[in-house]
Amino acid sequence: MELKKEREKLVRFAKKIYQRGFVTEISGNLSLRVREDLFLITPSGKSYEKLKASEILLLDMNGNIIEGIKKPSTETKLHIEIYKARQDVNAIIHAHSTHACVLAALEIPIPEILYEQREILGGEIRVSKYAPAGSETLAIEAVKALGYGKAVILSKHGTVSVGKDLREAYIVCELVERLSNI
């Protein structure tokens, strides 16, 4: 599959979340569903500043690499479980923004505090039960806490923002950090 434009878009948003400080140089990850059974994902341990479209991997919903030579994100299971649970989700951003990570560390949810929160995010942002990074348990607990919302705080870890496309997932990510700051 070619998917050049989709890979380039994923790289653009990866660089954008890095520039905004929502991730450190190699933390977090992004993905984009390209078919019901396939998605693109950022590689593990690759600098966002130097990320190239050719390094984005294409995976199936079992985590098998269809295209790409790098190692996929350590949170691939998280992306897979969200895509399986939510047919309305086509893009996922897993971030480690400063203020949201404070809430994650303290396991504090974000109650509905601003009007756009219900409309854009679906209300309160819950905290998932703790599970080790990259684990199947983390993926399952994240899906449970996410429910039908647009974001979830991962206990002791970071956040996950979802959307119908990368732009919406980015807007959600940005709003989660703003609400966390407030």
Side-chain angles (χ1 to χ4, degrees), residues 46-64:
K46 176 68 182 180
S47 164
Y48 288 123
E49 281 189 308
K50 299 172 184 169
L51 185 63
K52 298 176 188 152
S54 61
E55 296 172 306
I56 300 297
L57 296 104
L58 179 66
L59 275 61
D60 67 18
M61 290 300 167
N62 293 315
N64 298 312

Side-chain angles (χ1 to χ4, degrees), residues 34-48:
V34 293
R35 269 189 4 203
E36 187 176 326
D37 59 339
L38 298 173
F39 65 100
L40 296 168
I41 193 163
T42 51
S44 181
K46 176 68 182 180
S47 164
Y48 288 123

Side-chain angles (χ1 to χ4, degrees), residues 97-118 120-128 145-146 149-155 158-161 171-182:
S97 55
T98 302
H99 296 98
C101 278
V102 170
L103 298 181
L106 299 172
E107 299 180 322
I108 299 172
I110 304 174
E112 233 179 277
I113 56 176
L114 294 179
Y115 73 92
E116 69 256 49
Q117 189 172 349
R118 173 172 291 285
I120 296 172
L121 303 179
E124 176 186 33
I125 302 167
R126 297 185 291 227
V127 180
S128 67
L146 178 63
K150 296 283 185 177
V152 63
I153 297 169
L154 304 176
S155 174
T159 62
V160 174
S161 302
I171 289 167
V172 170
C173 181
E174 191 173 52
L175 183 55
V176 168
E177 181 60 6
R178 178 173 173 236
L179 292 166
S180 299
N181 190 16
I182 293 168

Side-chain angles (χ1 to χ4, degrees), residues 127-148:
V127 180
S128 67
K129 289 183 182 174
Y130 175 77
S135 70
E136 183 76 26
T137 305
L138 178 125
I140 291 165
E141 292 300 331
V143 167
K144 282 183 200 173
L146 178 63
Y148 292 102

Side-chain angles (χ1 to χ4, degrees), residues 3-61:
L3 302 171
K4 184 178 179 193
K5 287 181 182 178
E6 291 85 352
R7 283 182 162 95
E8 289 171 352
K9 187 181 285 189
L10 204 55
V11 169
R12 258 194 331 273
F13 277 94
K15 291 178 187 286
K16 193 171 184 174
I17 66 169
Y18 172 69
Q19 290 163 354
R20 287 294 310 271
F22 297 157
V23 293
T24 60
E25 192 168 352
I26 60 169
S27 72
N29 37 74
L30 299 86
S31 71
L32 177 64
R33 189 193 316 241
V34 293
R35 269 189 4 203
E36 187 176 326
D37 59 339
L38 298 173
F39 65 100
L40 296 168
I41 193 163
T42 51
S44 181
K46 176 68 182 180
S47 164
Y48 288 123
E49 281 189 308
K50 299 172 184 169
L51 185 63
K52 298 176 188 152
S54 61
E55 296 172 306
I56 300 297
L57 296 104
L58 179 66
L59 275 61
D60 67 18
M61 290 300 167

